[in-house]
Amino acid sequence: MKKRIMIILAILLAFILVVTSYFFVYGGEPEIENFNDVSANYETIANVAMKYYNELPNKNDRITILTYDDHMEVSNYKNPLEDRVVVNLSEEEKSAIKTIDKEFDYMWVTKDYVIFWQDETKYYGLVYSEKPLTIIREMKNDWYDAVEYHRINSNWYEIGSFGR
């Protein structure tokens, strides 16, 4: 009888660990729909933003990028009105940004990540990074301790306030 109870407890514990790790590592089900259909567009624009960031002389500051149908406006986070540059896009990039512009207003870019933000409230965004969980942990520690996240794939996570 004790053996059966131990086996049942072990199975129950394993189930709890699997469910807990799913929500801890993966964060549950993503909010964004059809991301697989448009992920190439997001990756194209994220790569353009990272390329632009890497070409800047001072890489210590985060930059903000406002997206429009045919261009991006880039500004230094610390001096947004003084350091503003227009980045012209290729036809492929213009097509990609039109998809993004329907969902997100602007991006934050650093050497380690790109975040597409839905609006200035920062209640919903997409993180693109080689190490997105590290970025999310830093965000929680530095300024946004209530941030929740959902794993989309190894480089993309949704972040925000989902209220779950």
Side-chain angles (χ1 to χ4, degrees), residues 4-15:
R4 285 185 185 176
I5 292 173
M6 293 300 284
I7 290 172
I8 291 171
L9 286 174
I11 291 171
L12 185 60
L13 180 62
F15 176 74

Side-chain angles (χ1 to χ4, degrees), residues 3-4 15 30 40 47 84 101 129 164:
K3 190 174 184 178
R4 285 185 185 176
F15 176 74
N47 288 329
R84 189 172 291 263
D101 225 24
S129 174
R164 293 187 183 179

Side-chain angles (χ1 to χ4, degrees), residues 80-148:
L81 298 176
E82 296 174 20
D83 300 332
R84 189 172 291 263
V85 176
V86 173
V87 176
N88 293 315
L89 301 172
S90 70
E91 291 304 315
E92 176 189 356
E93 294 161 351
K94 286 178 188 178
S95 176
I97 209 163
K98 285 179 183 177
T99 301
I100 293 164
D101 225 24
K102 293 175 188 172
E103 300 291 329
F104 298 95
D105 291 339
Y106 69 101
M107 296 179 276
W108 282 358
V109 183
T110 72
K111 64 183 172 82
D112 298 320
Y113 63 87
V114 173
I115 301 177
F116 294 89
W117 287 114
Q118 195 168 50
D119 58 33
E120 66 279 352
T121 63
K122 298 175 196 74
Y123 278 128
Y124 181 74
L126 286 176
V127 175
Y128 175 70
S129 174
E130 291 294 317
K131 298 179 181 178
L133 285 175
T134 302
I135 303 308
I136 292 168
R137 244 181 269 119
E138 288 173 6
M139 288 174 70
K140 281 177 151 297
N141 291 335
D142 294 344
W143 63 276
Y144 192 8
D145 62 344
V147 70
E148 298 174 56

Side-chain angles (χ1 to χ4, degrees), residues 11-26:
I11 291 171
L12 185 60
L13 180 62
F15 176 74
I16 290 170
L17 287 173
V18 167
V19 169
T20 303
S21 66
Y22 173 77
F23 283 98
F24 179 72
V25 175
Y26 295 102

